[in-house]
Amino acid sequence: MTPTSSVAAVQVTWIRLVADAAAEAQADVVSETVGTLAGAYLNQAFLSIGILADAVGKETYDDKEALELLEVHLSLATMVEKQLQALAKVSSADQEEAATVAALIKIAAQIRTQGETLQAVWSGDEAKAAVWEKLREETGNDLERFFGEAETKQ
């Protein structure tokens, strides 16, 4: 091997290392962005459904109007849940990333279930009211845990 070819080999190796590091950094940014946006949406959906439930309790909306508004939140939460499930199937083997996606899927499912439970309550199934309250508490706790863990990672 000539000195020129040795230098060229080192340069190629260095370029590959830099390119790999850049690709990894870009993947980290994409992963963090997706997690942040999904978490922010799920938190907003949680708040919006709660506000809607309070508005119905104060008779700001009748059940029919509320069901229409709830359907919007429910369809969006379902769409986010499905996209997160698809992401989990193609996501990297990184355990931290997989745990984050799994936590978001769980929260999305809780929000969807809250919406379905609230639909049942507003459609006359008063027995579901206690289930609704329990789901609200569990989801709120999971959201706090998710955002608390996200803050400690920064």
Side-chain angles (χ1 to χ4, degrees), residues 18-96:
V18 169
D20 289 347
E24 188 175 316
Q26 184 178 9
D28 287 348
V29 169
V30 170
S31 180
E32 288 176 20
T33 301
V34 169
T36 300
L37 291 172
Y41 164 73
L42 293 170
N43 189 61
Q44 185 59 49
F46 174 78
L47 294 172
S48 295
I49 291 170
I51 291 168
L52 184 58
D54 289 344
V56 169
K58 293 180 180 176
E59 299 180 2
T60 304
Y61 296 111
D62 64 31
D63 288 352
K64 183 180 180 217
E65 291 172 315
L67 283 166
E68 289 173 6
L69 291 169
L70 181 60
E71 185 58 40
V72 171
H73 292 295
L74 191 54
S75 66
L76 289 171
T78 300
M79 182 177 25
V80 168
E81 181 183 9
K82 286 179 182 176
Q83 287 303 122
L84 288 168
Q85 289 169 341
L87 179 61
K89 290 178 184 174
V90 298
S91 195
S92 74
D94 180 74
Q95 289 182 344
E96 185 177 321

Side-chain angles (χ1 to χ4, degrees), residues 4 13 23 25 27 44-45 60 69 110 130-131:
T4 306
T13 301
Q44 185 59 49
T60 304
L69 291 169
Q110 289 170 318
V131 174

Side-chain angles (χ1 to χ4, degrees), residues 35-36 100 143-154:
T36 300
T100 298
L143 280 164
E144 285 180 20
R145 194 170 19 263
F146 176 79
F147 284 109
E149 289 173 5
E151 284 179 11
T152 60
K153 290 178 187 174
Q154 293 178 353

